[in-house]
Amino acid sequence: MTMRPADLLPGFGEALGAQRGHLFPWVPVMLGLGIWVYFLLPAEPGRAGVLAALALAVAAAGLVRPLGAVWGIVALAVALASGGFALAAARTVIVAAPVLEARYYGAVEGRIVAIDRSARDVPRLTLDRVVLEGIAP
């Protein structure tokens, strides 16, 4: 006896097929699901984890047509969620900035590029070309 994917979830194919033409709003939901999973991790996944997610996204996207109308949609959902995970990791790398590992007490020199107010109405300065005494750039 051969088990088909449709046998695993009876009625799933019909329910998903009935939604054809109304699935586009699920695209940001699936991307957001991947991003959410990324931020659930207790630590950065590392290069291998991100590459695995990217490979899964590409493989699942390549299976969309061969799997047919119903399971192709599932493959596309997996591709979008994996892609969202990889996008979150990429964005984390892009916006990464140096972080002080301990409190710093000392003189701070730099060029002021912006002055605004924080949520508590405290003046906030944005500096460029920052120099901290005793700390490497």
Side-chain angles (χ1 to χ4, degrees), residues 10-88:
F12 176 72
E14 293 81 21
L16 196 56
Q19 292 298 313
R20 282 190 68 78
H22 304 286
L23 294 173
F24 186 73
W26 284 95
V27 169
V29 173
M30 296 313 296
L31 281 171
L33 177 67
I35 294 167
W36 178 67
V37 168
Y38 175 82
F39 285 108
L40 276 180
L41 297 176
E44 289 294 319
R47 183 174 287 165
V50 174
L51 288 177
L54 195 56
L56 177 62
V58 171
L63 290 174
V64 170
R65 280 195 184 257
L67 287 179
V70 174
W71 291 102
I73 293 170
V74 174
L76 184 59
V78 169
L80 287 168
S82 300
F85 184 93
L87 283 172

Side-chain angles (χ1 to χ4, degrees), residues 34-135:
I35 294 167
W36 178 67
V37 168
Y38 175 82
F39 285 108
L40 276 180
L41 297 176
E44 289 294 319
R47 183 174 287 165
V50 174
L51 288 177
L54 195 56
L56 177 62
V58 171
L63 290 174
V64 170
R65 280 195 184 257
L67 287 179
V70 174
W71 291 102
I73 293 170
V74 174
L76 184 59
V78 169
L80 287 168
S82 300
F85 184 93
L87 283 172
R91 180 66 180 162
T92 302
V93 170
I94 289 169
V95 300
V99 177
L100 292 175
E101 296 188 17
R103 288 191 176 263
Y104 175 76
Y105 298 98
V108 177
E109 294 180 28
R111 182 179 66 155
I112 298 174
V113 293
I115 301 174
D116 60 352
R117 296 203 170 268
S118 69
R120 292 189 225 163
D121 202 34
V122 176
R124 181 171 48 192
L125 305 175
T126 303
L127 301 176
D128 187 14
R129 301 179 191 162
V130 176
V131 177
L132 302 176
E133 183 179 313
I135 295 182

